Amino acid sequence: MLFDLSKSIEILERTPTVLKTLLSNLSPEWTHQNEGGETWSPYEVIGHLIHGEKTDWMVRTQLILSQEENKTFLPFDRFAQLNEGVKKNLSALLDEFQALREENLAALKAMDISPANLEATGIHPALGKVTLAQLLSCWTVHDLGHIVQITRVMAKQYKDEVGPWIEYLSVLHK
Amino acid sequence: MLFDLSKSIEILERTPTVLKTLLSNLSPEWTHQNEGGETWSPYEVIGHLIHGEKTDWMVRTQLILSQEENKTFLPFDRFAQLNEGVKKNLSALLDEFQALREENLAALKAMDISPANLEATGIHPALGKVTLAQLLSCWTVHDLGHIVQITRVMAKQYKDEVGPWIEYLSVLHK
């Protein structure tokens, strides 16, 4: 499948509702436990997604399409959500993510991006030159990857409860 | 986390709506492509979930709690959905899955399962003796594992589109 802006937006606009449907009003045993060690709980993943809406995807999109001479992205802090002072509850975080995503997609659509725009480039601080199409593809895959992570973390909470079925449940082996 | 019937139902009752929110009205490039070879598309996974509602989880629950002498489960055909004659569209399958799941959860709640019931056992044709708590844990993890699979398959459709970011997107490495 080749990059397609409208097909990317199909995914990006669903993610907040998917996460609300999956996580709202669940017991904290499902939402606030991780996979062990320094891994993230579903709650922490939502904080990470919020940080991306604020500082990553659209900021970089705007930089790529701007008249700035220096198109090097600021590094993205992948652990920012772990260092926040006051902890909001999960329901507030899900609402915040949805509102930020709606604003960002409205802004993205208003940019009326052309095929030539999609080939415009910026400089990733570690990966080097990247195109706008690659950035928007990455945003889409990043959403799906974190839904994978959240549901895998939830599944693992029952790792010791499935008895001999563990052999067939490959999600528990990862 | 120890097995808890009400916490399992929290997951089981959300799955049909999560899948509808994720998949309804998506372009077929997201829903009808697989991970290569003999792997399943999201569409095929929904067929598999429907087959489980019809022939697996509640049939086995009822057998475990019945007066039958022979409590050996019938084998579950994990590939049944691939051999169906007439293909329904995805929207019809999502509705069918939701209706079957609602019926099954209503039946499960009506059984008024006691802690002693949860220790009752049946015989899995390959895995041997299993408890009802293990069966219901497996049902829950099975749902989550297939949400993992569906979102991973979708992410992989953009594997060649993310450029150098592939290094950071572990969902594309699996």
Side-chain angles (χ1 to χ4, degrees):
Chain A
M1 177 177 180
L2 297 176
F3 176 79
D4 181 301
L5 183 59
S6 67
K7 288 182 183 133
S8 305
I9 290 173
E10 288 179 13
I11 303 297
L12 293 169
E13 68 188 4
R14 276 165 173 76
T15 302
T17 322
V18 169
L19 293 172
K20 277 191 170 184
T21 310
L22 182 67
L23 298 175
S24 289
N25 305 313
L26 274 189
S27 294
E29 287 86 346
W30 293 122
T31 57
H32 284 65
Q33 301 195 113
N34 67 17
E35 296 174 277
E38 297 293 300
T39 64
W40 296 351
S41 68
Y43 172 85
E44 287 164 340
V45 174
I46 305 302
H48 166 76
L49 290 171
I50 286 172
H51 195 66
E53 294 305 301
K54 288 181 180 168
T55 69
D56 188 331
W57 312 108
M58 282 304 291
V59 175
R60 291 177 173 188
T61 295
Q62 282 152 353
L63 181 61
I64 288 175
L65 296 182
S66 73
Q67 303 302 318
E68 290 285 333
E69 276 199 18
N70 180 358
K71 297 210 173 166
T72 304
F73 307 149
L74 289 174
F76 176 64
D77 180 358
R78 283 187 278 170
F79 304 97
Q81 75 281 3
L82 307 178
N83 303 319
E84 282 178 3
V86 182
K87 295 287 181 197
K88 294 181 181 168
N89 68 38
L90 178 58
S91 171
L93 289 189
L94 288 165
D95 285 343
E96 185 177 355
F97 175 55
Q98 183 161 46
L100 288 166
R101 175 57 61 89
E102 284 174 4
E103 274 174 42
N104 279 335
L105 290 183
L108 182 70
K109 290 173 188 172
M111 293 172 90
D112 204 13
I113 290 171
S114 70
N117 289 154
L118 290 172
E119 297 309 311
T121 56
I123 308 294
H124 186 285
L127 300 171
K129 191 182 278 193
V130 289
T131 67
L132 180 57
Q134 289 168 344
L135 174 66
L136 298 175
S137 300
C138 182
W139 190 6
T140 308
V141 172
H142 184 266
D143 269 21
L144 294 166
H146 282 299
I147 300 172
V148 166
Q149 176 187 20
I150 285 170
T151 42
R152 183 186 68 232
V153 172
M154 290 165 69
K156 286 190 180 174
Q157 305 311 318
Y158 264 179
K159 187 168 187 171
D160 296 335
E161 299 306 299
V162 299
W165 266 294
I166 193 165
E167 190 186 319
Y168 292 173
L169 294 164
S170 60
V171 66
L172 301 180
H173 308 165
K174 284 158 189 160
Chain B
M1 177 179 181
L2 297 175
F3 176 78
D4 181 302
L5 183 59
S6 68
K7 288 182 182 133
S8 305
I9 290 173
E10 287 179 13
I11 302 297
L12 293 168
E13 67 188 5
R14 277 166 174 75
T15 302
T17 322
V18 169
L19 292 172
K20 278 191 171 184
T21 309
L22 182 68
L23 299 175
S24 289
N25 306 313
L26 273 189
S27 294
E29 287 86 345
W30 294 121
T31 57
H32 285 65
Q33 300 195 115
N34 66 17
E35 296 174 277
E38 296 293 300
T39 64
W40 296 351
S41 68
Y43 172 85
E44 287 164 340
V45 174
I46 306 301
H48 166 77
L49 290 170
I50 286 172
H51 195 68
E53 293 306 299
K54 288 180 179 169
T55 68
D56 188 330
W57 313 109
M58 283 303 291
V59 175
R60 291 176 173 188
T61 295
Q62 282 151 353
L63 181 62
I64 288 175
L65 297 181
S66 73
Q67 304 302 318
E68 290 286 334
E69 275 198 17
N70 179 359
K71 298 209 171 165
T72 304
F73 307 150
L74 289 175
F76 176 63
D77 180 356
R78 284 187 277 170
F79 305 97
Q81 76 281 1
L82 307 179
N83 303 318
E84 282 178 4
V86 182
K87 296 287 181 196
K88 295 182 183 168
N89 69 38
L90 178 58
S91 170
L93 289 188
L94 288 165
D95 285 343
E96 184 177 357
F97 175 56
Q98 182 160 49
L100 288 166
R101 175 60 59 89
E102 283 173 5
E103 274 174 42
N104 279 336
L105 290 184
L108 182 70
K109 290 172 187 172
M111 293 172 89
D112 204 13
I113 289 171
S114 69
N117 289 155
L118 290 172
E119 297 309 311
T121 56
I123 307 294
H124 186 284
L127 300 172
K129 190 183 278 193
V130 289
T131 67
L132 180 56
Q134 289 168 344
L135 174 66
L136 298 174
S137 299
C138 181
W139 190 6
T140 308
V141 171
H142 184 265
D143 269 20
L144 294 166
H146 283 299
I147 300 172
V148 166
Q149 177 186 20
I150 286 170
T151 42
R152 183 186 68 233
V153 172
M154 291 164 69
K156 285 189 180 173
Q157 304 312 316
Y158 263 180
K159 188 169 187 171
D160 295 335
E161 300 306 301
V162 299
W165 266 294
I166 194 166
E167 189 185 319
Y168 292 173
L169 294 164
S170 61
V171 67
L172 301 180
H173 308 165
K174 283 159 189 159

